[in-house]
Amino acid sequence: MKSLEINGNLREATGKKDSKKLRDQELIPCVLYGGEKNIHFYASVPEFRPLIYTPDVYVVNLNIDGKVYPSILQDAQWHPVEEQMLHADFLQIEENKPVKVELPVTIEGTAKGIKVGGKMKVNVRKLKVKGLVKNLPDTIVVNVTELDLGQSFKVGDLNLEGVQILAAKSNVIATINITRAAKAAQTGKEGKK
């Protein structure tokens, strides 16, 4: 998995008033869970841009007052009206402990069905998975090259080694729909026979 570093400082005090003071200085209050004890810290808004504005999932090396904690972003709270991040929760990761994350789905290839006039519909853009961080891919690649008109690629068709997909095997990731033009082309071919 890709990684990036966020620099932060320990919070002296916690609570609504202190959090508001931090936000007024363009600092985001954060919590790191999963270690021996929860660590309350803050980081500046620009530190989060490469992490938030992307579909990718990162291992975040939190550098809090000089000590580095490998983690993943678990949750981010946003202001209901303004595009302002209010709070971030991180989960500390360990090499031998599985984590649950949502990975982006990447569609690859041109389906046979598209070449004859079909249209692809992508139903799933992210999939929740569980596994050790070392086994997690950056993205789940779905190759649709062999899909013909009316065929679908389902979660059960995926084969990710060392990663458990936390979705029903019958969930459709992508399907090739038959368009009117494709139907007309098919009936035209059948009529000429």
Side-chain angles (χ1 to χ4, degrees), residues 31 57 72 74 84 100-101 112 117 168 178:
V31 180
V57 178
I72 54 171
Q74 197 70 16
Q84 179 188 1
K100 291 179 185 176
V101 292
K112 290 178 186 175
I178 302 170

Side-chain angles (χ1 to χ4, degrees), residues 14-191:
T14 58
K16 284 185 179 181
K17 283 184 180 178
D18 294 300
S19 295
K20 186 174 179 352
K21 282 180 189 173
L22 289 172
R23 288 186 200 107
D24 290 343
Q25 299 170 40
E26 292 208 8
L27 299 169
I28 298 172
C30 308
V31 180
L32 174 64
Y33 300 103
E36 292 172 25
K37 60 180 180 159
N38 297 342
I39 299 171
H40 296 271
F41 68 100
Y42 63 88
S44 65
V45 172
E47 295 269 350
F48 287 90
R49 287 201 176 100
L51 178 64
I52 297 297
Y53 298 107
T54 177
D56 298 335
V57 178
Y58 287 93
V59 170
V60 181
N61 292 313
L62 292 173
N63 187 338
I64 303 170
D65 289 341
K67 192 167 181 197
V68 178
Y69 303 90
S71 64
I72 54 171
L73 179 67
Q74 197 70 16
D75 189 29
Q77 287 90 38
W78 292 85
H79 189 280
V81 179
E82 301 168 23
E83 192 177 325
Q84 179 188 1
M85 193 173 173
L86 300 176
H87 186 86
D89 293 338
F90 290 90
L91 177 67
Q92 191 172 342
I93 54 176
E94 297 170 26
E95 282 185 31
N96 58 354
K97 201 172 178 185
V99 293
K100 291 179 185 176
V101 292
E102 275 194 342
L103 294 177
V105 173
T106 304
I107 304 296
E108 205 174 72
T110 304
K112 290 178 186 175
I114 291 176
K115 292 177 183 174
V116 292
K119 187 174 182 182
M120 182 165 55
K121 181 175 186 249
V122 179
N123 297 335
V124 177
R125 298 275 179 202
K126 284 186 167 192
L127 277 173
K128 193 164 195 158
V129 299
K130 180 180 178 181
L132 297 175
V133 173
K134 66 179 180 185
N135 295 337
L136 296 176
D138 289 333
T139 182
I140 297 172
V141 179
V142 173
N143 192 325
V144 294
T145 310
E146 295 300 314
L147 292 183
D148 213 339
L149 290 172
Q151 292 183 331
S152 299
F153 193 100
K154 297 181 178 165
V155 170
D157 299 330
L158 287 171
N159 184 17
L160 298 174
E161 205 169 302
V163 177
Q164 179 187 356
I165 300 171
L166 303 175
K169 291 185 187 237
S170 60
N171 286 5
V172 175
I173 296 174
T175 187
I176 308 300
N177 292 325
I178 302 170
T179 60
R180 287 184 190 157
K183 250 185 208 173
Q186 273 187 329
T187 52
K189 285 179 185 174
E190 289 170 9

